[in-house]
Amino acid sequence: MDPQQRHAPATMRNRDAIVALLERILPSSGLVLEIASGTGEHAVYFGKTFPDLTFQPSDPDPACCQSIAAWTKREAVANVLPPLQLDAQAGQWDIPKPAAILCINMVHISPWESSIGLFEKAGSLLDLDAPLYLYGPYLHADVETAPGNMDFERSLKSRDLRWGLRDVADMDALATRTGFVRESLTEMPANNISLVYRKHD
């Protein structure tokens, strides 16, 4: 294995459940932007699964971008573009207009300002009805918070007080302010949740 390739064990556990949901919401063609791609393992798996789509991975961490490039090269996935070093809190993203945006396991390990930046930029980039997909652990009034997630919350706060599990109600309020409406909430394996938002008038 290329020493630049990073590995996230959770990717193997959640990727098929995520793909099953993405099959219902992604367009048949176009550019899909992934924010906070991390190791790049999701990007290459999605590229293999959806050969008619083009995937643009990104991450603010240069080491993650190196990992993404290494995984893409190893798997020889032609429809996964070279990674971009994008930061959700940056001023603007100088990128082509995507047909969909994915963001997996970023919201809880970043400051709230990153979520604000994500929605604001998605609102300026996406066309009407285009999907913004979020995945990760969230707090939700209708779903009992698993003990493991509460332990995870304490661990996150011990690493950075700005991090932590976000409440779906807060995500929905942010979505409303930036021109989105939540289409669905789907409970996923390992106490995670998928949220699908759509751009609207």
Side-chain angles (χ1 to χ4, degrees), residues 13-132:
R13 297 194 296 267
N14 65 30
R15 64 185 189 178
D16 288 319
I18 293 173
V19 161
L21 196 148
L22 294 181
E23 287 175 338
R24 305 200 300 267
I25 67 166
L26 289 181
S28 58
S29 62
L31 179 70
V32 178
L33 172 64
E34 185 184 20
I35 299 301
S37 300
T39 64
E41 293 168 281
H42 276 134
V44 297
Y45 191 68
F46 297 158
K48 288 182 173 182
T49 306
F50 302 100
D52 294 330
L53 290 167
T54 299
F55 288 87
Q56 176 61 75
S58 71
D59 203 277
D61 184 347
C64 285
C65 288
Q66 292 174 345
S67 178
I68 296 163
W71 275 106
T72 304
K73 180 179 179 181
R74 171 183 166 171
E75 300 298 323
V77 190
N79 60 329
V80 177
L81 301 176
L84 298 176
Q85 194 174 340
L86 294 183
D87 188 334
Q89 295 188 59
Q92 294 295 328
W93 293 338
D94 184 18
I95 58 173
K97 182 181 284 290
I101 295 177
L102 314 178
C103 186
I104 297 169
N105 284 332
M106 179 200 85
V107 168
H108 59 285
I109 54 172
S110 61
W112 178 242
E113 288 76 13
S114 293
S115 294
I116 295 172
L118 170 66
F119 271 86
E120 288 179 344
K121 293 173 182 64
S124 67
L125 286 170
L126 292 174
D127 288 332
L128 292 181
D129 292 327
L132 169 60

